[in-house]
Amino acid sequence: MAEIKDFYESGKGDRLIDPLLFPEEIKQFLTCEKRILETLADSFDLLVEVGSMYGRYPKWAVENGKYYLGIDIVQRYIETGRKIILDLQLNPDKCRFVLGGAENITDLVKPREWNVKLRKCLLFFPFNSFGNMEDPLVIVKGIKKSGLPFLISTYGTSQETNVCREQYYRDCGYSEIVSLQDEKGVRFVSPDGLSTIAYHPDYLQEIFTIASLKVAIVHFSQIAVAFTLPELAKKIMPITF
Ligand SMILES: C[S@@+](CC[C@H](N)C(=O)[O-])C[C@H]1O[C@@H](n2cnc3c(N)ncnc32)[C@H](O)[C@@H]1O
């Protein structure tokens, strides 16, 4: 955990979300990710972004009548997120950031405090935040314990995706990038501290099975995959990406 946190705390991870560095495939990934959220908008009143950095969707959430909670382990992002809420004059009762880890979701997300029903929350892991977290089984067990609906948006593991990711990490300025592939998935590491994995869908499916949590897998854009509740997947499926 310390290494991941240090990488983002140091600012070396900030380039990963610089739109100027996004290749076309990642632009499409993020456009489709937003369309998925829009499609599911009727299903939730509270959007919880996990691994939020300073927030990808707080403005969208508030503009669409949702409450918003951003969660990240890096204090700097939480502070910046809170400042953005003030700068955008978003209602701080509707839009908050909290410092903490996805491993402690039940302690961090209390739907009752927002006056929202448990099933009307969406635990959302955007833009492969999930693949930057330490232990997927601990997190998936936490999701199960929380009973919260979830949507994990991540990369696939096709050769096309791997080529795209490697070039993108290079364009972000990381050097000596190494690709490690095993039964879990495809991880890219660099001496800067970059360490980001895309899990093979079958492997993540297995993790969900161990945690006794039903999951459906939806491939979207050319390079991305979503893991979500079967009932949410049914709503997403009809969209053509
Ligand atoms: C690739 S960034 C996520 C991208 C960002 N959410 C976006 O949509 O642009 C990964 C983020 O996950 C955070 N993170 C890593 N481990 C975490 C954990 N266990 N719980 C919550 N956030 C975590 C990191 O601090 C970092 O901000």
Side-chain angles (χ1 to χ4, degrees):
M1 175 85 108
E3 283 171 23
I4 295 171
K5 193 173 164 192
D6 292 348
F7 173 69
Y8 284 102
E9 195 82 68
S10 71
K12 287 182 189 161
D14 292 3
R15 315 164 220 174
L16 287 168
I17 57 160
D18 180 348
L20 297 175
L21 300 173
F22 291 160
E24 207 44 52
E25 293 91 334
I26 289 188
K27 288 184 194 158
Q28 274 178 27
F29 172 172
L30 293 171
T31 301
C32 292
E33 182 183 272
K34 190 164 183 214
R35 279 180 62 203
I36 290 175
L37 269 192
E38 287 165 351
T39 305
L40 295 179
D42 288 347
S43 311
F44 61 89
D45 296 326
L46 168 62
L47 178 65
V48 182
E49 251 191 296
V50 192
S52 59
M53 295 179 125
Y54 43 78
R56 178 162 290 279
Y57 293 103
K59 187 165 181 281
W60 175 88
V62 173
E63 283 176 354
N64 284 276
K66 315 289 176 201
Y67 295 103
Y68 174 90
L69 177 64
I71 297 176
D72 205 285
I73 51 170
V74 172
Q75 178 79 39
R76 198 167 57 83
Y77 294 142
I78 298 301
E79 283 163 11
T80 307
R82 288 178 180 153
K83 187 171 176 305
I84 288 172
I85 289 176
L86 288 178
D87 291 349
L88 294 177
Q89 299 187 315
L90 302 175
N91 183 341
D93 291 332
K94 295 193 165 178
C95 204
R96 294 180 212 158
F97 280 88
V98 64
L99 183 68
E103 297 76 7
N104 301 317
I105 228 58
T106 42
D107 297 332
L108 298 172
V109 185
K110 308 239 185 252
R112 265 203 224 144
E113 284 176 5
W114 299 81
N115 216 5
V116 169
K117 291 196 177 92
L118 187 102
R119 301 304 291 177
K120 290 290 265 179
C121 301
L122 184 65
L123 212 49
F124 176 50
F125 296 74
F127 194 18
N128 199 35
S129 64
F130 191 84
N132 285 258
M133 296 174 184
E134 188 82 354
D135 185 339
L137 181 57
V138 173
I139 296 171
V140 172
K141 281 184 173 170
I143 298 174
K144 164 77 179 174
K145 191 174 163 209
S146 76
L148 293 163
F150 61 90
L151 175 72
I152 295 170
S153 167
T154 179
Y155 292 110
T157 55
S158 69
Q159 188 53 24
E160 180 193 5
T161 309
N162 303 342
V163 168
C164 167
R165 285 177 71 203
E166 181 156 5
Q167 185 57 47
Y168 156 58
Y169 298 137
R170 266 188 226 299
D171 292 346
C172 285
Y174 303 112
S175 53
E176 298 173 59
I177 297 165
V178 174
S179 157
L180 308 168
Q181 306 203 18
D182 63 13
E183 76 291 348
K184 293 183 183 173
V186 182
R187 183 183 290 279
F188 287 94
V189 296
S190 85
D192 308 275
L194 177 77
S195 179
T196 170
I197 185 166
Y199 293 104
H200 290 310
D202 287 352
Y203 175 78
L204 214 46
Q205 168 84 66
E206 192 56 36
I207 294 283
F208 275 84
T209 304
I210 294 169
S212 306
L213 186 55
K214 283 199 178 124
V215 69
I217 299 167
V218 182
H219 291 264
F220 68 97
S221 84
Q222 280 164 271
I223 59 166
V225 186
F227 296 83
T228 188
L229 285 177
E231 59 261 38
L232 295 182
K234 272 190 207 147
K235 296 187 181 185
I236 300 171
M237 292 291 217
I239 320 175
T240 41
F241 294 110

